[in-house]
Amino acid sequence: MKLDRPVTGGPCWVELGTSDLDAAKRFYADVFGWRPETDPRQEAGGYTVAHIGDAAVAGLAPLFQESQPVAWNVSFAVADADRAAERVRTAGGTLLTEPADVFDIGRFAVALDPGGAAFQMWQARAFPGAGLFNSPGALGWVELLTRAPERAEAFYTNVFGWTVRPSAHYPQWGIDGADFGGMMAMDDKFPLEVPPHWLPYFAVADVHATAAATTAAGGTVLMEPHSIADVRRIAVLRDPQGAVFGVHGAGAEG
């Protein structure tokens, strides 16, 4: 993506909700080389921040509610979480979690867009979000999969002020034209039980090697590595607990 740091309206953080936190730490350390650090405070509930070097790149957390699925979640930066929550309601979305403070590091809310895809909003205080984008092991793209693309475009441009690079097959989201993600319409190839969702893609040096590392660590390759317009290779993977994520790398690889 063309963003290299968290900016208002753009993706600023990704967070895994998992049924087995210790297993997730091991898996992503094997696949991406992440170094996990778990917050020792009891009230943090085991929340873990994964690092590449000294840079925070992702969060890992246990499931906090029975209804919470095992999944990756994408957070978008907002200047004011309460005002953003009102924009969500006005645009036809739903608040799952009302804006709330997280210690002294920020304020967040969880919402559903009109098509049913969940996302998070983050108002930074002490913690701005990811300290690294577009490098191996760090977030490099986000993708909305939805059965209501027209409603999604109207919703997100209203709530976040995104620009949209139009395409019949794959519109791309941006901040003032700096693209950071895309949108895929879910057709009949997607089983009805697969809900609309945001899918994070992590940058990697070698997509084939990452797919192999995923399998070796107990995960699954859902979409085999393949080229996009000969400039990018991608794959879609699933961790042992069931969370789905994508990876991308240079198209000349392999």
Side-chain angles (χ1 to χ4, degrees):
M1 61 182 169
K2 295 179 180 178
L3 302 179
D4 59 5
R5 58 185 173 83
V7 299
T8 300
C12 62
W13 190 239
V14 285
E15 182 178 287
L16 173 68
T18 182
S19 57
D20 190 333
L21 182 58
D22 288 337
K25 292 179 192 178
R26 293 190 297 269
F27 173 82
Y28 289 100
D30 288 343
V31 172
F32 291 137
W34 287 353
R35 176 176 56 81
E37 291 185 2
T38 299
D39 191 322
R41 292 173 291 185
Q42 183 176 359
E43 58 269 34
Y47 196 90
T48 298
V49 174
H51 297 77
I52 294 288
D54 293 329
V57 293
L60 309 172
L63 301 179
F64 295 116
Q65 300 177 11
E66 286 188 13
S67 60
Q68 183 182 351
V70 172
W72 278 100
N73 302 288
V74 177
S75 295
F76 298 98
V78 296
D80 186 315
D82 296 271
R83 290 184 179 180
E86 286 305 314
R87 291 197 298 272
V88 166
R89 291 191 182 95
T90 300
T94 305
L95 267 293
L96 295 180
T97 301
E98 294 288 336
D101 291 334
V102 181
F103 302 119
D104 63 344
I105 65 172
R107 188 167 174 81
F108 90 116
V110 183
L112 292 176
D113 70 20
F119 64 96
Q120 300 180 165
M121 296 178 288
W122 179 253
Q123 176 188 339
R125 288 173 181 158
F127 181 70
L132 187 68
F133 287 148
N134 304 316
S135 294
L139 183 67
W141 191 252
V142 295
E143 180 177 273
L144 173 65
L145 292 93
T146 180
R147 294 184 173 88
E150 295 84 5
R151 294 179 69 191
E153 182 172 328
F155 174 81
Y156 287 105
T157 53
N158 185 296
V159 172
F160 295 117
W162 293 348
T163 52
V164 180
R165 189 183 301 274
S167 167
H169 304 293
Y170 196 75
Q172 295 188 29
W173 310 110
I175 299 292
D176 296 328
D179 295 345
F180 60 78
M183 177 169 61
M184 178 177 292
M186 299 175 74
D187 56 20
D188 293 341
K189 296 178 183 177
F190 289 86
L192 290 177
E193 61 267 23
V194 177
H197 59 281
W198 279 95
L199 180 69
Y201 277 79
F202 298 97
V204 295
D206 187 316
V207 172
H208 282 276
T210 304
T214 294
T215 302
T220 307
V221 176
L222 298 180
M223 185 175 72
E224 293 287 343
H226 66 282
S227 295
I228 302 293
D230 295 326
V231 298
R232 186 68 51 191
R233 291 187 71 76
I234 67 171
V236 177
L237 312 170
R238 183 171 59 204
D239 72 22
Q241 284 67 54
V244 178
F245 60 98
V247 296
H248 72 84
E253 161 209 321

